[in-house]
C-alpha cells in the first residue's frame, strides 16, 4: 500500500517513530534495490509492532524498563499490593487496607512523575502505561475481591460481585488505554483507583457505627463500583487539589485503621 492511503496517525509513525527506532538500534538506512535484501512492508499497527521488536529487540532487554523512575514507582506500588494480599490471607484486614490505600497514592505519584519526566523515551512511556494498568487491575479488582470473599466466607453474591468487578476493571483498562480521556478532559467511567478508598470508607463507617454488616453490604459495594467503572460519565483526573485530598485521606484512613487494629490487639492480650 502507498503511504498516502494510510491514516494520518500512521504517517507520523512511518516518518518518525519507526525510523527513529531503526536508527537508535544501530541500523543505517540506505536507498537500495531490494535484490537479496529482506523487504519488510509496514501495513498496519501489527506490522509496526513487529518491526519494533525486529529492530529494537524489545524481548531481550525488558528489564531496562524497571530502571525508569515512573516505572520503578509503579513496581513499588505493585510490591505493596502483594504484601497487602499477604496480610489479607493472614486475616489482618486493617493493615491490608492501609497498604492498599497507599498503593493508590503511589499510583497517582507515578502518573505525576510520568507527566513531568523530561526527555523520556516513548517506549518507556508505552511500557509504563501498561504496567500501571496491570497494577490497577490487581489493586482495584483482585485484592478487593479477595477481601470480600474472605469476609463473607465465600457467599454467592460475593462471588458475583468479585467477578463483576474484575470484568469491569479489565474492560475499563482496555478502553482507557486505547481511547484515553473524553474531549472534555474527563474520564469515561469512574477510575479504578476509586474502589479502594470506597472500601476503606465502608470499613471505617462499620467501625464507628455498626449500622451495616460488612458480610452483607460489601458485595454490593463491589457490584456498584463495577457499574460505575463502565458508566457513561466520570470525574476529572486527580490533579492539584485532588492530589492533596487523596494524600490527606490516606493519612486519616491510616490513622483510623491502625488505631482500631491496635485496640483489637490490646483487647486480645487482656
Amino acid at each position: 500500500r502507498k503511504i498516502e492511503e494510510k491514516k494520518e496517525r500512521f504517517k507520523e509513525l512511518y516518518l518518525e517513530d519507526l525510523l527513529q527506532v531503526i536508527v537508535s538500534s544501530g541500523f543505517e538506512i540506505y536507498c537500495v534495490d531490494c535484490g537479496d535484501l529482506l523487504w519488510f512492508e509496514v501495513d498496519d499497527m501489527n506490522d509496526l509492532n513487529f518491526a519494533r521488536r525486529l529492530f529494537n529487540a524489545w524481548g531481550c532487554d525488558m528489564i531496562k524498563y524497571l530502571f525508569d523512575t515512573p516505572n520503578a514507582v509503579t513496581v513499588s506500588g505493585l510490591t505493596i499490593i502483594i504484601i497487602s494480599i499477604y496480610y489479607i490471607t493472614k486475616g489482618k484486614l486493617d493493615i491490608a487496607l492501609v497498604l492498599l490505600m497507599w498503593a493508590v497514592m503511589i499510583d497517582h505519584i507515578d502518573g505525576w512523575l510520568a507527566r513531568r519526566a523530561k526527555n523520556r523515551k516513548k517506549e518507556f512511556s508505552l511500557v509504563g502505561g501498561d504496567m500501571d494498568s496491570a497494577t490497577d487491575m490487581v489493586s482495584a479488582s483482585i485484592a478487593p475481591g479477595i477481601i470480600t470473599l474472605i469476609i463473607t466466607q465465600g457467599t454467592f453474591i460475593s462471588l458475583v460481585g468479585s467477578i463483576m468487578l474484575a470484568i469491569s476493571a479489565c474492560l475499563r483498562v482496555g478502553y482507557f488505554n486505547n481511547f484515553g480521556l473524553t474531549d472534555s478532559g474527563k474520564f469515561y467511567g469512574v477510575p479504578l483507583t476509586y474502589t479502594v478508598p470506597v472500601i476503606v470508607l465502608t470499613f471505617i463507617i462499620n467501625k464507628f457505627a455498626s449500622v451495616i454488616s460488612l458480610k452483607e453490604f460489601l458485595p454490593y459495594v463491589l457490584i456498584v463500583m463495577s457499574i460505575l467503572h463502565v458508566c457513561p460519565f466520570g470525574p476529572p483526573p486527580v490533579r492539584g487539589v485532588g492530589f492533596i485530598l487523596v494524600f490527606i485521606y490516606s493519612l486519616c484512613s491510616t490513622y483510623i485503621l491502625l488505631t482500631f487494629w491496635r485496640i483489637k490487639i490490646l483487647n486480645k492480650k487482656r
Side-chain angles (χ1 to χ4, degrees):
R1 301 177 189 177
K2 295 180 180 179
I3 292 181
E4 289 76 14
E5 298 174 356
K6 309 300 178 183
K7 292 182 179 180
E8 205 57 39
R9 63 194 183 100
F10 284 154
K11 289 182 181 179
E12 297 178 3
L13 291 172
Y14 282 128
L15 300 177
E16 298 177 10
D17 194 29
L18 180 58
L19 294 182
Q20 182 179 357
V21 168
I22 296 173
V23 173
S24 65
S25 301
F27 287 82
E28 295 182 2
I29 303 175
Y30 296 95
C31 181
V32 296
D33 296 329
C34 290
D36 296 327
L37 297 177
L38 172 65
W39 178 264
F40 185 82
E41 182 182 6
V42 179
D43 283 333
D44 53 24
M45 282 299 294
N46 291 329
D47 285 348
L48 180 63
N49 290 330
F50 180 79
R52 284 172 171 158
R53 292 194 298 270
L54 178 67
F55 290 115
N56 210 26
W58 276 30
C60 298
D61 57 351
M62 66 177 73
I63 299 299
K64 69 181 181 182
Y65 298 105
L66 296 178
F67 296 95
D68 173 69
T69 301
N71 292 352
V73 174
T74 300
V75 171
S76 67
L78 179 60
T79 302
I80 292 175
I81 295 167
I82 301 303
I83 296 173
S84 171
I85 294 176
Y86 167 80
Y87 279 109
I88 293 173
T89 62
K90 295 294 184 181
K92 299 178 180 179
L93 298 182
D94 293 326
I95 297 178
L97 286 172
V98 167
L99 292 173
L100 282 177
M101 194 63 235
W102 284 103
V104 170
M105 187 67 215
I106 289 175
D107 179 69
H108 291 300
I109 292 175
D110 66 19
W112 182 84
L113 290 173
R115 289 190 297 270
R116 284 159 178 75
K118 295 181 179 179
N119 302 321
R120 191 186 186 203
K121 292 183 178 180
K122 186 176 180 180
E123 60 185 274
F124 284 87
S125 178
L126 291 173
V127 173
D130 287 338
M131 290 171 60
D132 184 70
S133 297
T135 301
D136 288 345
M137 277 288 299
V138 179
S139 66
S141 64
I142 306 302
I146 294 174
I147 290 175
T148 303
L149 289 169
I150 289 177
I151 288 179
T152 62
Q153 297 178 340
T155 60
F156 178 74
I157 189 64
S158 67
L159 179 62
V160 171
S162 300
I163 292 174
M164 287 182 62
L165 186 64
I167 292 174
S168 67
C170 183
L171 177 60
R172 194 189 183 288
V173 163
Y175 183 91
F176 179 76
N177 286 354
N178 283 279
F179 299 103
L181 300 174
T182 63
D183 294 336
S184 59
K186 294 184 178 181
F187 287 109
Y188 191 94
V190 174
L192 301 186
T193 51
Y194 280 60
T195 300
V196 170
V198 170
I199 292 177
V200 168
L201 181 62
T202 304
F203 269 76
I204 291 176
I205 292 175
N206 177 259
K207 289 181 181 297
F208 276 108
S210 300
V211 294
I212 58 174
S213 170
L214 286 177
K215 184 175 181 179
E216 298 176 359
F217 188 74
L218 200 54
Y220 294 100
V221 172
L222 300 194
I223 292 174
V224 170
M225 292 307 300
S226 68
I227 296 173
L228 291 177
H229 288 328
V230 295
C231 66
F233 59 85
V238 176
R239 294 171 186 171
V241 176
F243 185 85
I244 297 174
L245 291 176
V246 172
F247 180 73
I248 294 174
Y249 183 84
S250 300
L251 286 176
C252 294
S253 59
T254 297
Y255 175 79
I256 294 171
L257 290 172
L258 290 184
T259 299
F260 276 100
W261 174 73
R262 185 183 177 189
I263 293 173
K264 185 192 303 183
I265 296 298
L266 291 175
N267 289 337
K268 285 184 178 180
K269 290 182 178 179
R270 291 176 180 176

